[in-house]
């Protein structure tokens, strides 16, 4: 008996009744690298063999795209109980290929990389996947909800992400519109509450509003990530006062997310007292992404060191650095 299934939006006919495991094998996909949703219900990996597909079933098959141990002598910080020494987090999108992605991540020294969740190309399952170049056993994958404009879409995406890789540390972003890519804070709050209740550890992209940041922390988010400027704009820190207020009030890590354009922007964020900086476009769209990744690594380290050192006071007039006593 033949059956018709809709897989990632495309209708396909099969000659016999299939389990999820058999379907994945038939179309050439590794079940360990993907997540499967059947009629908007996630299929657990342990149930792939026993879940029999029926006529007209609608399937979504997704994977991650470009979207280490700690050193006790390093200046570390904790997110959701896990310790990291690299305060630079990087995205995996916009590079020319996965090979360049991998080289840039290595040059950045990042330990956490954000990954988007997208449909698998079931027409050509031999296409390379991010996991083939960026080892999730070496780097902490941070699934995000890039491209989601409602709380429901964001929650659904992260449920699939957890099924695909088993990670519960996630980055939530719910966008307001395509022109500004500013966060829709109403939908973000709804999604955050649902995800925290379901056991996710939520790092959340948000506006630079201290009140909203406090609400998200009160809901149980494990990191607050105010934007520096619109995503991909490269404009740098636009509201240092708002970000500083968020830092002062927060008991969880605060990381600037979005809008960093060059190394000096990253240094400014760290000098404000941020725990880290997340960026993608600033590295990926540089003329030499590998060099820029290295520059960003050094800028984050330098800005953090300057913050810890404590800058000199600003003065209205000159103050000579050489003593006047004994002047000829």
């Amino acid at each position: 008996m033949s059956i018709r299934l809709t897989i990632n939006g495309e209708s396909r006919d099969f000659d016999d009744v299939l389990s999820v495991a058999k379907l994945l094998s038939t179309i050439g996909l590794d079940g360990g690298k993907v997540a499967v949703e059947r009629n908007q219900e996630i299929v657990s990996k342990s149930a792939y063999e026993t879940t029999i597909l029926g006529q007209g079933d609608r399937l979504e098959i997704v994977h991650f795209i470009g979207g280490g141990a700690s050193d006790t002598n390093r200046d570390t910080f904790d997110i959701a109980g896990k310790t990291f020494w690299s305060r630079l987090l990087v995205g995996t999108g916009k590079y020319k290929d996965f090979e360049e992605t991998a080289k840039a991540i290595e040059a950045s020294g990042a330990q956490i990389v954000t990954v988007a969740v997208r449909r698998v190309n079931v027409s050509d399952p031999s296409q390379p996947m991010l996991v083939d170049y960026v080892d999730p056993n070496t780097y902490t994958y941070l699934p995000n909800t890039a491209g989601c404009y409602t709380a429901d879409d964001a929650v659904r995406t992260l449920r699939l992400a957890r099924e695909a890789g088993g990670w519960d540390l996630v980055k939530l972003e719910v966008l307001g519109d395509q022109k500004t890519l500013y966060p829709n804070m109403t939908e973000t709050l709804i999604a955050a509450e649902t995800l925290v209740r379901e056991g996710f550890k939520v790092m959340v992209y948000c506006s630079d509003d201290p009140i909203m940041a406090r609400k998200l922390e009160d809901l149980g988010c494990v990191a607050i990530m105010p934007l520096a400027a619109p995503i991909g704009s490269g404009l740098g820190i636009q509201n240092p006062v708002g970000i500083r207020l968020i830092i002062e009030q927060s008991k969880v890590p605060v990381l600037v997310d979005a809008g960093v354009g060059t190394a000096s922007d990253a240094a400014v964020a760290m000098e404000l007292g941020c725990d880290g900086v997340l960026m993608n476009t600033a590295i990926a769209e540089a003329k030499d992404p590998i060099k820029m990744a290295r520059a960003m690594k050094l800028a984050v380290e330098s800005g953090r060191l300057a913050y810890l050192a404590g800058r000199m006071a600003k003065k209205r007039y000159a103050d000579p650095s050489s003593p006047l006593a004994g002047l000829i």
Side-chain angles (χ1 to χ4, degrees), residues 68 84-91 104-114 134 138-140 277 279 283 293 297 301:
F84 299 94
W85 54 261
S86 175
R87 294 174 181 270
L88 175 60
L89 291 68
V90 296
I105 292 172
E106 183 178 5
S108 75
Q111 293 175 284
I112 301 176
V113 296
T114 62
V134 181
T138 301
Y139 299 96
T140 295
V277 181
M279 66 183 72
I283 296 175
K297 175 181 184 292
E301 292 175 354

Side-chain angles (χ1 to χ4, degrees), residues 30-34 45 48 164:
D30 182 347
K33 295 181 177 179
V34 301
K45 281 181 167 52
Y48 282 1

Side-chain angles (χ1 to χ4, degrees), residues 251-289:
K251 296 180 176 62
V252 297
V254 176
L255 302 94
V256 156
D257 178 14
V260 169
T262 190
S264 57
D265 299 331
V268 167
M270 296 306 296
E271 288 174 5
L272 284 171
C274 288
D275 293 283
V277 181
L278 189 152
M279 66 183 72
N280 186 178
T281 307
I283 296 175
E285 292 193 352
K287 292 180 180 178
D288 188 330

Side-chain angles (χ1 to χ4, degrees), residues 90-323:
V90 296
T92 49
K94 298 187 176 182
Y95 292 95
K96 67 180 181 181
D97 52 36
F98 284 142
E99 185 175 355
E100 183 180 70
T101 304
K103 289 180 178 178
I105 292 172
E106 183 178 5
S108 75
Q111 293 175 284
I112 301 176
V113 296
T114 62
V115 291
V117 181
R118 292 294 184 270
R119 286 172 166 174
V120 169
N121 185 347
V122 293
S123 300
D124 185 9
S126 64
Q127 284 194 352
M129 294 185 178
L130 181 67
V131 294
D132 298 323
Y133 291 82
V134 181
D135 185 359
N137 294 315
T138 301
Y139 299 96
T140 295
Y141 270 31
L142 184 66
N144 70 20
T145 56
C148 291
Y149 289 85
T150 68
D152 285 346
D153 284 347
V155 170
R156 181 183 172 197
T157 296
L158 291 178
R159 286 170 178 162
L160 272 168
R162 180 159 62 181
E163 181 61 31
W167 296 283
D168 56 7
L169 181 65
V170 296
K171 179 193 166 188
L172 170 65
E173 59 180 71
V174 185
L175 305 176
D177 61 67
Q178 293 186 350
K179 182 177 181 179
T180 67
L181 300 182
Y182 263 63
N184 181 327
M185 293 309 301
T186 302
E187 293 290 296
T188 298
L189 289 165
I190 294 170
E193 185 173 15
T194 299
L195 291 166
V196 170
R197 186 170 60 248
E198 294 185 6
F200 286 91
K201 299 169 184 176
V202 181
M203 301 173 65
V204 57
Y205 166 67
C206 61
S207 61
D208 51 13
D209 178 352
I211 305 303
M212 284 296 178
R214 184 184 296 120
K215 287 180 181 293
L216 289 165
E217 184 173 351
D218 289 344
L219 284 175
C221 292
V222 300
I224 306 300
M225 307 176 75
L227 78 169
I231 293 172
S233 67
L235 292 172
I237 308 293
Q238 296 297 295
N239 183 9
V241 174
I243 291 175
R244 180 178 55 77
L245 290 172
I246 292 172
I247 293 167
E248 289 179 358
Q249 75 182 15
S250 298
K251 296 180 176 62
V252 297
V254 176
L255 302 94
V256 156
D257 178 14
V260 169
T262 190
S264 57
D265 299 331
V268 167
M270 296 306 296
E271 288 174 5
L272 284 171
C274 288
D275 293 283
V277 181
L278 189 152
M279 66 183 72
N280 186 178
T281 307
I283 296 175
E285 292 193 352
K287 292 180 180 178
D288 188 330
I290 314 305
K291 286 183 179 177
M292 185 59 81
R294 173 69 174 161
M296 291 300 190
K297 175 181 184 292
L298 296 173
V300 167
E301 292 175 354
S302 178
R304 174 65 178 174
L305 193 58
Y307 170 75
L308 293 175
R311 65 158 292 147
M312 63 168 285
K314 293 183 179 181
K315 304 171 183 176
R316 295 182 62 189
Y317 302 102
D319 183 8
S321 55
S322 298

Side-chain angles (χ1 to χ4, degrees), residues 48-90:
Y48 282 1
E49 293 284 354
T50 57
T51 301
I52 306 302
L53 300 173
Q55 188 72 249
D57 277 354
R58 301 183 66 85
L59 302 171
E60 293 287 342
I61 306 176
V62 304
H63 66 130
F64 295 124
I65 66 167
S70 64
D71 182 339
T72 56
N73 294 321
R74 297 186 188 230
D75 171 38
T76 61
F77 73 116
D78 292 345
I79 299 178
K82 187 171 182 180
T83 301
F84 299 94
W85 54 261
S86 175
R87 294 174 181 270
L88 175 60
L89 291 68
V90 296

